[in-house]
Amino acid sequence: MPFRILPLFEGPSERPMERFNLSSDDIVAAMERLFLYWMEKETSIPVGPFMEYVEVVLRSMCDLRVSRYNRRVSGDKVFVVNTNGDLYLVQHAYTESKKLGNLMDQTYEEIVASPRYAESVIEEITEQTTRCGGCDYRYACTGWPLFATRYPNEDSSAPCPIASRCMGFIEKFFREQGFSKASLLEMTGGNSFQSTELDSLGV
């Protein structure tokens, strides 16, 4: 059955992180091994976020672009809700200063209409401009991986510490397998890559 890999990120103070915390390097190494295993098995089982990473890599290899994720236009995908009702964006989970509101005291509609929510949208656009601007996949990626999770001690001016590095590994893998811009465009008719089209590439 389809499933998604979600590396653990910083959480509430009571979470015993020292028992199972990994560095970004360790997480990337584990993701790379799992990607190779996924490829070697030639399975049709969708595994996230590899499906998304592969789409980005293939678009990048073909010089294709995609629209950037914009929360102001597209809305929110995921929230983190603490047991006391505090509401956070995933990348700011349990950071008191970044709290959007509290569902025990406010309705969801009140929270998204609040000044703090509006500030969070501006902060996200600013961060995306700063960090995605230095990523090799900035035009082929929606920018969503940057906000999918957060890791401790990462460089706040660098691209997302997991996705961009995994994408680089995946691109190297495809190029070593003989894929090129010409061969990829021939197989897809020059269209942008989506999950439903990856079957034609044996992915």
Side-chain angles (χ1 to χ4, degrees):
M1 62 183 233
F3 65 96
R4 173 172 291 272
I5 305 300
L6 292 172
L8 288 168
F9 55 92
E10 287 188 305
S13 57
E14 61 268 22
R15 178 184 287 176
M17 291 298 288
E18 68 279 357
R19 293 174 56 190
F20 49 78
N21 199 15
L22 295 175
S23 68
S24 293
D25 289 343
D26 291 332
I27 293 172
V28 170
M31 297 284 278
E32 290 173 353
R33 290 197 301 273
L34 182 59
F35 173 78
L36 291 177
Y37 181 80
W38 187 50
M39 288 286 101
E40 290 167 1
K41 288 298 181 180
E42 298 182 353
T43 176
S44 60
I45 298 173
V47 178
F50 294 142
M51 297 295 290
E52 295 93 325
Y53 290 175
V54 167
E55 288 177 22
V56 172
V57 168
L58 295 179
R59 279 195 294 262
S60 179
M61 290 176 67
C62 293
D63 298 323
L64 299 172
R65 298 193 176 202
V66 69
S67 298
R68 187 66 59 84
Y69 167 67
N70 185 331
R71 219 172 99 231
R72 178 181 285 153
V73 175
S74 303
D76 296 278
K77 292 187 176 183
V78 182
F79 287 111
V80 172
V81 183
N82 204 352
T83 53
N84 65 355
D86 286 344
L87 188 72
Y88 303 91
L89 298 173
V90 173
Q91 67 268 28
H92 298 145
Y94 311 108
T95 302
E96 181 65 24
S97 62
K98 298 293 186 179
K99 182 174 67 177
L100 297 176
N102 185 287
L103 292 171
M104 300 292 190
D105 304 322
Q106 303 163 276
T107 65
Y108 173 75
E109 290 75 17
E110 289 172 339
I111 291 175
V112 297
S114 69
R116 172 63 204 128
Y117 183 89
E119 288 173 5
S120 74
V121 173
I122 298 300
E123 290 169 358
E124 196 165 279
I125 291 172
T126 301
E127 182 176 11
Q128 192 178 62
T129 300
T130 301
R131 302 186 68 178
C132 292
C135 181
D136 293 337
Y137 301 98
R138 60 188 177 278
Y139 299 119
C141 178
T142 64
W144 168 248
L146 181 63
F147 307 112
T149 190
R150 184 62 91 237
Y151 300 93
N153 305 317
E154 64 182 61
D155 183 351
S156 61
S157 64
C160 40
I162 306 300
S164 60
R165 294 169 63 187
C166 287
M167 290 173 190
F169 179 84
I170 291 170
E171 179 174 355
K172 181 175 180 290
F173 172 84
F174 281 138
R175 291 192 182 282
E176 289 175 348
Q177 299 301 310
F179 286 100
S180 66
K181 177 179 178 179
S183 62
L184 291 171
L185 288 175
E186 182 179 354
M187 284 186 282
T188 63
N191 296 317
S192 182
F193 291 97
Q194 304 295 333
S195 297
T196 54
E197 297 172 318
L198 299 182
D199 290 340
S200 66
L201 306 178
V203 177

